[in-house]
Amino acid sequence: MRAPTLTVDLAAVAHNARVFAGVSPGFMAVVKADAFNHGAAEVARTALANGARRLGVTSIREAVRLRGQGIAAPVLSWMNPPNADYTEAIGLYVELAVSDLEQLHAIADAPRRAERVPGIHLFADTGMARDGAPPDRWAELCERARSLEKSGRVRIVGVMSHLAWAEDPAHPANEQAVRSFEAAVDVLHRAGATSVVRHLANSAGALGIPRTRFDTARIGAGLYGIDPSGRYGLRRAMTLAAPVVMVRDAEEGTPVGYGHTHRTRSRTRLALVPLGYADGVPRSAAGTAEVAVHGRRCPIVGTISMDQIVVDVGDLPVHAGDPVTVFGPGDEGEPTTADWARWCRTNEHEVMTGIGPRVERIIHARIPDTPAAFHDTARLAGASASFATTPDLKETGSRAQH
Ligand SMILES: *Cc1c(COP(=O)(O)O)cnc(C)c1O
Protein backbone atom coordinates (compact mmCIF):
# COMPACT_ATOMS: atom_id res chain seq x y z
CA MET A 1 0.00 0.00 0.00
CA ARG A 2 1.31 3.46 -0.95
CA ALA A 3 -0.86 6.17 0.58
CA PRO A 4 -3.68 6.72 3.06
CA THR A 5 -6.94 5.79 1.40
CA LEU A 6 -10.61 6.10 2.20
CA THR A 7 -12.42 3.38 0.28
CA VAL A 8 -16.18 3.61 -0.19
CA ASP A 9 -18.16 0.51 -1.12
CA LEU A 10 -21.28 1.62 -2.96
CA ALA A 11 -22.68 -1.92 -2.80
CA ALA A 12 -23.17 -1.35 0.93
CA VAL A 13 -24.96 1.94 0.23
CA ALA A 14 -27.15 0.15 -2.33
CA HIS A 15 -28.01 -2.52 0.22
CA ASN A 16 -28.94 0.09 2.81
CA ALA A 17 -31.01 2.02 0.28
CA ARG A 18 -33.05 -1.10 -0.44
CA VAL A 19 -33.67 -1.56 3.30
CA PHE A 20 -35.09 1.97 3.47
CA ALA A 21 -37.06 1.58 0.25
CA GLY A 22 -38.85 -1.25 2.07
CA VAL A 23 -40.05 0.95 4.95
CA SER A 24 -40.27 4.30 3.17
CA PRO A 25 -40.93 3.89 -0.56
CA GLY A 26 -39.49 6.73 -2.62
CA PHE A 27 -37.49 8.06 0.32
CA MET A 28 -35.27 11.15 0.18
CA ALA A 29 -31.57 10.25 0.25
CA VAL A 30 -29.73 12.80 2.37
CA VAL A 31 -26.37 13.46 0.72
CA LYS A 32 -25.33 16.51 2.75
CA ALA A 33 -21.67 17.01 3.70
CA ASP A 34 -20.62 15.20 0.52
CA ALA A 35 -22.83 12.27 1.54
CA PHE A 36 -21.24 12.10 4.99
CA ASN A 37 -17.92 12.06 3.07
CA HIS A 38 -18.88 9.09 0.86
CA GLY A 39 -19.18 11.14 -2.36
CA ALA A 40 -22.46 12.98 -2.94
CA ALA A 41 -22.94 12.32 -6.64
CA GLU A 42 -21.98 8.66 -6.44
CA VAL A 43 -24.18 8.03 -3.41
CA ALA A 44 -27.03 9.97 -5.01
CA ARG A 45 -26.91 7.81 -8.13
CA THR A 46 -26.66 4.65 -6.09
CA ALA A 47 -29.59 5.59 -3.86
CA LEU A 48 -31.73 6.68 -6.82
CA ALA A 49 -31.04 3.35 -8.52
CA ASN A 50 -32.14 1.51 -5.37
CA GLY A 51 -35.42 3.10 -4.36
CA ALA A 52 -34.76 6.75 -3.45
CA ARG A 53 -36.78 9.28 -5.42
CA ARG A 54 -35.50 12.55 -3.97
CA LEU A 55 -32.27 13.97 -2.64
CA GLY A 56 -31.72 16.22 0.36
CA VAL A 57 -28.82 18.54 1.17
CA THR A 58 -28.19 21.39 3.57
CA SER A 59 -27.04 24.29 1.41
CA ILE A 60 -27.86 25.54 -2.05
CA ARG A 61 -24.19 25.18 -2.88
CA GLU A 62 -24.38 21.43 -2.32
CA ALA A 63 -27.49 21.20 -4.49
CA VAL A 64 -25.90 23.21 -7.30
CA ARG A 65 -22.91 20.90 -7.22
CA LEU A 66 -25.16 17.85 -7.70
CA ARG A 67 -26.77 19.51 -10.72
CA GLY A 68 -23.31 20.22 -12.12
CA GLN A 69 -22.56 16.52 -11.75
CA GLY A 70 -25.49 15.70 -13.98
CA ILE A 71 -28.06 14.72 -11.40
CA ALA A 72 -31.58 15.71 -12.40
CA ALA A 73 -33.65 14.15 -9.58
CA PRO A 74 -35.61 16.40 -7.21
CA VAL A 75 -33.24 17.99 -4.69
CA LEU A 76 -34.27 19.77 -1.51
CA SER A 77 -31.94 22.24 0.24
CA TRP A 78 -33.04 23.05 3.77
CA MET A 79 -30.75 25.58 5.31
CA ASN A 80 -29.95 28.91 3.71
CA PRO A 81 -29.85 32.50 4.94
CA PRO A 82 -32.28 35.01 3.44
CA ASN A 83 -29.56 36.44 1.20
CA ALA A 84 -28.61 33.08 -0.36
CA ASP A 85 -28.51 32.77 -4.15
CA TYR A 86 -32.11 31.70 -4.62
CA THR A 87 -32.06 32.73 -8.28
CA GLU A 88 -29.48 30.10 -9.02
CA ALA A 89 -31.29 27.46 -6.97
CA ILE A 90 -34.64 28.12 -8.65
CA GLY A 91 -33.02 28.11 -12.06
CA LEU A 92 -31.78 24.59 -11.36
CA TYR A 93 -35.12 23.35 -9.98
CA VAL A 94 -33.69 23.04 -6.49
CA GLU A 95 -36.49 22.90 -3.93
CA LEU A 96 -36.08 25.00 -0.79
CA ALA A 97 -37.15 24.47 2.79
CA VAL A 98 -38.65 27.54 4.42
CA SER A 99 -38.54 28.13 8.16
CA ASP A 100 -39.52 31.78 8.30
CA LEU A 101 -41.13 34.69 6.53
CA GLU A 102 -37.93 36.42 5.62
CA GLN A 103 -36.74 33.34 3.71
CA LEU A 104 -40.13 32.91 2.12
CA HIS A 105 -40.13 36.45 0.77
CA ALA A 106 -36.51 36.20 -0.36
CA ILE A 107 -37.43 33.10 -2.37
CA ALA A 108 -40.64 34.54 -3.77
CA ASP A 109 -38.87 37.78 -4.73
CA ALA A 110 -35.74 36.21 -6.22
CA PRO A 111 -35.29 37.34 -9.81
CA ARG A 112 -35.96 34.39 -12.08
CA ARG A 113 -37.30 33.33 -15.40
CA ALA A 114 -41.06 33.58 -15.17
CA GLU A 115 -41.81 29.94 -15.92
CA ARG A 116 -39.71 28.69 -13.02
CA VAL A 117 -41.85 28.68 -9.92
CA PRO A 118 -39.79 27.80 -6.84
CA GLY A 119 -40.87 24.59 -5.10
CA ILE A 120 -40.84 25.01 -1.34
CA HIS A 121 -41.22 22.74 1.69
CA LEU A 122 -42.56 24.48 4.78
CA PHE A 123 -40.52 23.45 7.81
CA ALA A 124 -42.23 23.32 11.20
CA ASP A 125 -40.35 23.05 14.48
CA THR A 126 -41.95 20.20 16.43
CA GLY A 127 -39.80 20.34 19.50
CA MET A 128 -36.11 20.94 19.00
CA ALA A 129 -35.80 24.71 18.73
CA ARG A 130 -33.39 24.35 15.86
CA ASP A 131 -34.52 24.73 12.26
CA GLY A 132 -38.21 25.06 11.43
CA ALA A 133 -40.78 27.71 12.28
CA PRO A 134 -41.75 27.89 15.95
CA PRO A 135 -45.43 26.99 16.58
CA ASP A 136 -46.47 30.60 17.19
CA ARG A 137 -45.29 31.63 13.74
CA TRP A 138 -46.49 28.60 11.80
CA ALA A 139 -49.98 29.73 10.85
CA GLU A 140 -48.76 33.04 9.46
CA LEU A 141 -46.03 31.28 7.47
CA CYS A 142 -48.60 28.88 5.98
CA GLU A 143 -50.99 31.66 5.08
CA ARG A 144 -48.33 33.82 3.46
CA ALA A 145 -46.95 30.84 1.52
CA ARG A 146 -50.43 29.90 0.37
CA SER A 147 -51.20 33.39 -0.83
CA LEU A 148 -47.88 33.52 -2.71
CA GLU A 149 -48.79 30.16 -4.21
CA LYS A 150 -52.12 31.50 -5.40
CA SER A 151 -50.34 34.33 -7.17
CA GLY A 152 -47.96 31.88 -8.84
CA ARG A 153 -44.84 32.99 -6.96
CA VAL A 154 -44.11 29.71 -5.13
CA ARG A 155 -45.36 26.14 -5.24
CA ILE A 156 -45.83 24.40 -1.88
CA VAL A 157 -44.39 20.94 -2.52
CA GLY A 158 -43.94 19.63 1.00
CA VAL A 159 -44.25 20.06 4.72
CA MET A 160 -41.49 18.83 6.99
CA SER A 161 -40.09 18.66 10.48
CA HIS A 162 -37.26 16.85 12.25
CA LEU A 163 -37.09 14.51 15.26
CA ALA A 164 -34.90 15.24 18.27
CA TRP A 165 -35.15 11.79 19.88
CA ALA A 166 -35.54 9.27 17.06
CA GLU A 167 -32.69 7.08 18.27
CA ASP A 168 -34.77 6.29 21.34
CA PRO A 169 -38.12 5.20 19.83
CA ALA A 170 -39.83 4.98 23.22
CA HIS A 171 -38.97 8.54 24.22
CA PRO A 172 -42.14 10.61 24.74
CA ALA A 173 -40.70 13.48 22.66
CA ASN A 174 -41.35 11.34 19.55
CA GLU A 175 -45.08 11.01 20.14
CA GLN A 176 -45.17 14.69 20.99
CA ALA A 177 -43.42 15.53 17.71
CA VAL A 178 -45.81 13.35 15.70
CA ARG A 179 -48.83 15.11 17.23
CA SER A 180 -47.29 18.51 16.77
CA PHE A 181 -46.47 17.65 13.12
CA GLU A 182 -50.02 16.47 12.48
CA ALA A 183 -51.30 19.75 13.89
CA ALA A 184 -48.89 21.70 11.67
CA VAL A 185 -50.06 19.76 8.60
CA ASP A 186 -53.69 20.53 9.56
CA VAL A 187 -52.94 24.23 9.70
CA LEU A 188 -51.35 24.07 6.26
CA HIS A 189 -54.29 22.10 4.85
CA ARG A 190 -56.70 24.64 6.29
CA ALA A 191 -54.69 27.41 4.63
CA GLY A 192 -55.55 25.64 1.38
CA ALA A 193 -52.40 23.64 0.56
CA THR A 194 -53.80 20.14 0.41
CA SER A 195 -51.52 18.07 -1.81
CA VAL A 196 -48.20 18.34 -0.06
CA VAL A 197 -45.60 15.66 0.67
CA ARG A 198 -45.33 15.19 4.44
CA HIS A 199 -41.92 14.17 5.78
CA LEU A 200 -40.87 14.01 9.41
CA ALA A 201 -38.66 10.94 9.91
CA ASN A 202 -34.91 10.57 9.61
CA SER A 203 -33.20 7.16 9.43
CA ALA A 204 -33.86 6.15 13.02
CA GLY A 205 -37.47 7.33 12.85
CA ALA A 206 -38.19 5.52 9.58
CA LEU A 207 -36.78 2.26 10.93
CA GLY A 208 -37.90 2.35 14.53
CA ILE A 209 -41.02 4.54 14.78
CA PRO A 210 -43.57 3.65 12.07
CA ARG A 211 -45.86 6.55 13.09
CA THR A 212 -43.21 9.01 11.90
CA ARG A 213 -43.10 7.71 8.32
CA PHE A 214 -45.91 9.80 6.75
CA ASP A 215 -45.39 10.18 2.96
CA THR A 216 -41.63 9.92 2.84
CA ALA A 217 -38.56 10.07 5.07
CA ARG A 218 -35.21 11.81 4.85
CA ILE A 219 -32.53 9.14 5.13
CA GLY A 220 -28.93 10.08 5.90
CA ALA A 221 -27.10 8.08 8.57
CA GLY A 222 -28.70 4.75 7.72
CA LEU A 223 -27.58 4.95 4.09
CA TYR A 224 -24.02 4.96 5.39
CA GLY A 225 -24.59 2.02 7.73
CA ILE A 226 -25.12 3.92 10.97
CA ASP A 227 -27.67 1.91 12.96
CA PRO A 228 -27.51 2.47 16.70
CA SER A 229 -30.12 -0.26 17.26
CA GLY A 230 -28.06 -2.84 15.36
CA ARG A 231 -31.33 -4.50 14.32
CA TYR A 232 -31.63 -3.80 10.62
CA GLY A 233 -28.53 -5.35 9.07
CA LEU A 234 -27.26 -2.07 7.62
CA ARG A 235 -23.75 -2.19 6.20
CA ARG A 236 -20.98 0.33 6.64
CA ALA A 237 -19.40 1.45 3.40
CA MET A 238 -16.17 3.18 4.47
CA THR A 239 -12.72 1.74 5.07
CA LEU A 240 -9.89 4.02 6.17
CA ALA A 241 -6.43 2.50 5.77
CA ALA A 242 -2.84 3.68 5.50
CA PRO A 243 0.54 2.07 4.83
CA VAL A 244 3.17 1.58 7.51
CA VAL A 245 5.95 4.10 6.83
CA MET A 246 8.60 2.63 9.11
CA VAL A 247 8.99 0.05 11.88
CA ARG A 248 11.37 0.22 14.86
CA ASP A 249 12.24 -2.07 17.74
CA ALA A 250 11.77 -0.44 21.14
CA GLU A 251 13.07 -1.46 24.55
CA GLU A 252 10.80 -1.63 27.58
CA GLY A 253 10.19 1.88 28.95
CA THR A 254 10.73 3.73 25.66
CA PRO A 255 8.86 7.06 25.78
CA VAL A 256 6.69 7.69 22.70
CA GLY A 257 5.57 10.93 21.06
CA TYR A 258 4.85 14.47 22.28
CA GLY A 259 4.98 14.84 26.03
CA HIS A 260 5.96 11.16 26.45
CA THR A 261 2.40 10.31 27.38
CA HIS A 262 3.17 6.63 26.80
CA ARG A 263 6.09 4.36 27.71
CA THR A 264 6.36 0.88 26.22
CA ARG A 265 5.57 -1.78 28.81
CA SER A 266 7.91 -4.38 27.34
CA ARG A 267 10.21 -4.89 24.39
CA THR A 268 8.07 -4.36 21.32
CA ARG A 269 7.87 -3.02 17.79
CA LEU A 270 6.45 0.36 16.90
CA ALA A 271 4.94 1.09 13.49
CA LEU A 272 4.64 4.62 12.18
CA VAL A 273 1.44 5.39 10.24
CA PRO A 274 0.97 8.61 8.20
CA LEU A 275 -2.45 9.68 9.45
CA GLY A 276 -3.23 12.17 12.17
CA TYR A 277 -5.83 14.55 13.43
CA ALA A 278 -5.62 16.64 10.25
CA ASP A 279 -6.91 13.51 8.52
CA GLY A 280 -9.70 12.97 11.00
CA VAL A 281 -8.08 10.67 13.55
CA PRO A 282 -9.23 12.58 16.66
CA ARG A 283 -6.61 13.49 19.26
CA SER A 284 -9.13 12.56 21.92
CA ALA A 285 -8.80 8.89 20.94
CA ALA A 286 -5.23 8.65 22.28
CA GLY A 287 -4.87 6.04 24.98
CA THR A 288 -7.91 4.02 23.92
CA ALA A 289 -8.00 3.64 20.12
CA GLU A 290 -6.86 0.60 18.18
CA VAL A 291 -6.23 -0.20 14.55
CA ALA A 292 -6.00 -3.53 12.72
CA VAL A 293 -2.63 -4.75 11.45
CA HIS A 294 -2.33 -8.17 9.80
CA GLY A 295 -5.82 -8.91 11.11
CA ARG A 296 -4.94 -8.18 14.74
CA ARG A 297 -6.06 -5.25 16.87
CA CYS A 298 -3.09 -3.13 17.98
CA PRO A 299 -3.17 -0.01 20.17
CA ILE A 300 -2.25 3.49 19.05
CA VAL A 301 0.35 4.67 21.58
CA GLY A 302 1.35 8.19 22.61
CA THR A 303 -0.39 11.32 21.45
CA ILE A 304 -2.04 11.51 18.05
CA SER A 305 -0.10 14.05 16.00
CA MET A 306 -1.41 16.16 13.17
CA ASP A 307 0.05 13.86 10.54
CA GLN A 308 1.05 10.62 12.20
CA ILE A 309 0.33 7.98 14.77
CA VAL A 310 2.47 5.29 16.36
CA VAL A 311 1.05 1.78 16.67
CA ASP A 312 2.41 -0.86 19.07
CA VAL A 313 2.42 -3.95 16.86
CA GLY A 314 4.02 -6.26 19.47
CA ASP A 315 5.64 -9.26 17.81
CA LEU A 316 3.80 -9.01 14.50
CA PRO A 317 6.09 -9.28 11.46
CA VAL A 318 5.16 -5.84 10.17
CA HIS A 319 7.02 -4.14 7.32
CA ALA A 320 6.94 -0.72 5.73
CA GLY A 321 4.15 -0.65 3.17
CA ASP A 322 1.89 -3.07 5.05
CA PRO A 323 -1.67 -1.78 5.30
CA VAL A 324 -3.08 -0.61 8.61
CA THR A 325 -6.87 -0.46 8.86
CA VAL A 326 -8.13 2.39 11.01
CA PHE A 327 -11.76 1.44 10.56
CA GLY A 328 -13.87 -0.60 8.18
CA PRO A 329 -17.16 -2.50 8.04
CA GLY A 330 -15.95 -4.72 10.89
CA ASP A 331 -16.25 -7.98 8.96
CA GLU A 332 -12.67 -9.00 9.67
CA GLY A 333 -12.38 -7.81 13.24
CA GLU A 334 -11.14 -4.33 12.36
CA PRO A 335 -12.49 -1.38 14.35
CA THR A 336 -15.63 0.30 13.02
CA THR A 337 -16.69 3.93 13.13
CA ALA A 338 -18.87 2.88 16.08
CA ASP A 339 -15.70 1.88 17.99
CA TRP A 340 -14.11 5.23 17.12
CA ALA A 341 -17.21 7.09 18.19
CA ARG A 342 -17.06 5.34 21.56
CA TRP A 343 -13.34 6.01 21.97
CA CYS A 344 -13.83 9.69 21.15
CA ARG A 345 -17.14 10.17 22.97
CA THR A 346 -18.84 11.32 19.79
CA ASN A 347 -21.12 9.84 17.13
CA GLU A 348 -20.23 7.92 13.98
CA HIS A 349 -21.42 10.85 11.87
CA GLU A 350 -18.59 13.01 13.20
CA VAL A 351 -16.00 10.29 12.61
CA MET A 352 -17.14 9.78 9.00
CA THR A 353 -17.42 13.45 8.12
CA GLY A 354 -14.13 14.27 9.83
CA ILE A 355 -11.86 12.43 7.40
CA GLY A 356 -9.68 15.12 5.90
CA PRO A 357 -8.99 16.17 2.33
CA ARG A 358 -5.44 14.76 2.31
CA VAL A 359 -6.76 11.22 2.25
CA GLU A 360 -7.34 9.86 -1.24
CA ARG A 361 -10.87 8.60 -1.67
CA ILE A 362 -11.68 5.68 -3.92
CA ILE A 363 -15.32 4.96 -4.53
CA HIS A 364 -16.13 1.43 -5.66
CA ALA A 365 -19.33 0.37 -7.25
CA ARG A 366 -20.15 -3.27 -7.58
CA ILE A 367 -23.70 -2.80 -8.67
CA PRO A 368 -25.31 -2.50 -12.09
CA ASP A 369 -25.86 0.97 -13.58
CA THR A 370 -22.87 2.43 -11.82
CA PRO A 371 -19.34 2.59 -13.14
CA ALA A 372 -16.65 0.32 -11.77
CA ALA A 373 -14.77 2.84 -9.67
CA PHE A 374 -14.57 6.57 -9.24
CA HIS A 375 -11.17 7.92 -8.37
CA ASP A 376 -11.48 11.05 -6.37
CA THR A 377 -8.10 12.54 -5.76
CA ALA A 378 -8.88 16.25 -5.90
CA ARG A 379 -10.31 16.57 -2.47
CA LEU A 380 -8.46 19.73 -1.56
CA ALA A 381 -10.57 22.06 0.48
CA GLY A 382 -10.93 24.52 -2.38
CA ALA A 383 -11.72 21.95 -5.02
CA SER A 384 -15.42 22.62 -5.11
CA ALA A 385 -14.88 26.38 -5.11
CA SER A 386 -13.33 26.14 -8.55
CA PHE A 387 -16.17 23.96 -9.74
CA ALA A 388 -17.72 25.60 -12.78
CA THR A 389 -21.46 25.90 -12.46
CA THR A 390 -22.46 24.85 -15.91
CA PRO A 391 -25.71 23.20 -15.02
CA ASP A 392 -26.83 20.59 -17.41
CA LEU A 393 -29.87 18.68 -16.36
CA LYS A 394 -29.09 15.77 -18.64
CA GLU A 395 -27.24 12.83 -17.17
CA THR A 396 -23.73 13.58 -18.35
CA GLY A 397 -22.01 10.33 -17.59
CA SER A 398 -20.49 8.60 -14.70
CA ARG A 399 -17.30 10.24 -13.59
CA ALA A 400 -17.50 12.78 -10.82
CA GLN A 401 -16.42 16.31 -11.63
CA HIS A 402 -14.24 18.33 -9.34
C1 LIG B 1 -29.25 15.34 8.57
C2 LIG B 1 -30.70 15.48 8.45
C3 LIG B 1 -31.49 14.38 8.12
C4 LIG B 1 -30.94 12.97 8.04
O1 LIG B 1 -30.98 12.40 9.33
P1 LIG B 1 -30.30 10.99 9.61
O2 LIG B 1 -30.48 10.78 11.05
O3 LIG B 1 -28.87 11.16 9.23
O4 LIG B 1 -31.01 10.01 8.76
C5 LIG B 1 -32.84 14.59 7.92
N1 LIG B 1 -33.39 15.82 8.05
C6 LIG B 1 -32.66 16.90 8.39
C7 LIG B 1 -33.33 18.22 8.53
C8 LIG B 1 -31.30 16.77 8.62
O5 LIG B 1 -30.58 17.83 8.99
Side-chain angles (χ1 to χ4, degrees), residues 87-109:
T87 297
E88 180 173 35
I90 297 161
L92 294 171
Y93 302 100
V94 172
E95 295 172 359
L96 299 156
V98 174
S99 290
D100 77 357
L101 283 177
E102 207 182 340
Q103 282 171 344
L104 177 66
H105 288 129
I107 292 166
D109 294 344

Side-chain angles (χ1 to χ4, degrees), residues 149-182:
E149 183 172 58
K150 280 194 248 169
S151 54
R153 312 251 310 273
V154 300
R155 190 167 44 89
I156 306 172
V157 175
V159 54
M160 66 190 285
S161 186
H162 194 50
L163 296 167
W165 269 101
E167 285 173 15
D168 180 359
H171 195 283
N174 291 310
E175 188 51 32
Q176 178 59 47
V178 168
R179 275 190 265 113
S180 168
F181 187 60
E182 286 168 341

Side-chain angles (χ1 to χ4, degrees), residues 30 32 36 78 123 130-131 160 162 202-203 218-221:
V30 175
K32 63 188 181 187
F36 290 41
W78 53 68
F123 195 155
R130 204 187 66 168
D131 33 8
M160 66 190 285
H162 194 50
N202 63 349
S203 302
R218 301 179 306 275
I219 306 302

Side-chain angles (χ1 to χ4, degrees), residues 76-225:
L76 170 64
S77 160
W78 53 68
M79 192 134 88
N80 297 288
N83 62 352
D85 191 347
Y86 291 118
T87 297
E88 180 173 35
I90 297 161
L92 294 171
Y93 302 100
V94 172
E95 295 172 359
L96 299 156
V98 174
S99 290
D100 77 357
L101 283 177
E102 207 182 340
Q103 282 171 344
L104 177 66
H105 288 129
I107 292 166
D109 294 344
R112 60 177 194 267
R113 284 203 273 153
E115 71 271 25
R116 303 233 168 142
V117 179
I120 60 171
H121 295 238
L122 296 178
F123 195 155
D125 176 24
T126 54
M128 65 190 298
R130 204 187 66 168
D131 33 8
D136 61 338
R137 297 199 217 145
W138 179 248
E140 187 185 10
L141 184 64
C142 291
E143 279 149 26
R144 282 301 304 154
R146 180 60 191 141
S147 93
L148 287 166
E149 183 172 58
K150 280 194 248 169
S151 54
R153 312 251 310 273
V154 300
R155 190 167 44 89
I156 306 172
V157 175
V159 54
M160 66 190 285
S161 186
H162 194 50
L163 296 167
W165 269 101
E167 285 173 15
D168 180 359
H171 195 283
N174 291 310
E175 188 51 32
Q176 178 59 47
V178 168
R179 275 190 265 113
S180 168
F181 187 60
E182 286 168 341
V185 172
D186 265 0
V187 169
L188 181 59
H189 283 174
R190 274 187 270 116
T194 47
S195 59
V196 286
V197 181
R198 301 165 302 163
H199 46 109
L200 171 63
N202 63 349
S203 302
L207 291 173
I209 321 172
R211 289 235 310 127
T212 65
R213 287 177 193 155
F214 291 93
D215 300 321
T216 191
R218 301 179 306 275
I219 306 302
L223 264 190
Y224 312 107

Side-chain angles (χ1 to χ4, degrees), residues 314-396:
D315 57 4
L316 285 176
V318 174
H319 299 284
D322 289 357
V324 171
T325 305
V326 177
F327 58 72
D331 301 338
E332 286 159 32
E334 75 277 16
T336 65
T337 44
D339 294 316
W340 278 90
R342 206 175 56 252
W343 293 329
C344 304
R345 294 189 170 76
T346 183
N347 61 7
E348 289 184 72
H349 315 51
E350 188 177 0
V351 177
M352 289 177 179
T353 55
I355 306 308
R358 219 168 26 179
V359 178
E360 179 181 8
R361 187 172 61 184
I362 299 176
I363 303 177
H364 286 290
R366 284 191 232 105
I367 50 167
D369 296 331
T370 325
F374 304 86
H375 282 262
D376 179 0
T377 50
R379 297 194 55 237
L380 301 172
S384 59
S386 61
F387 168 71
T389 48
T390 47
D392 177 358
L393 295 181
K394 294 193 304 288
E395 287 287 333
T396 53

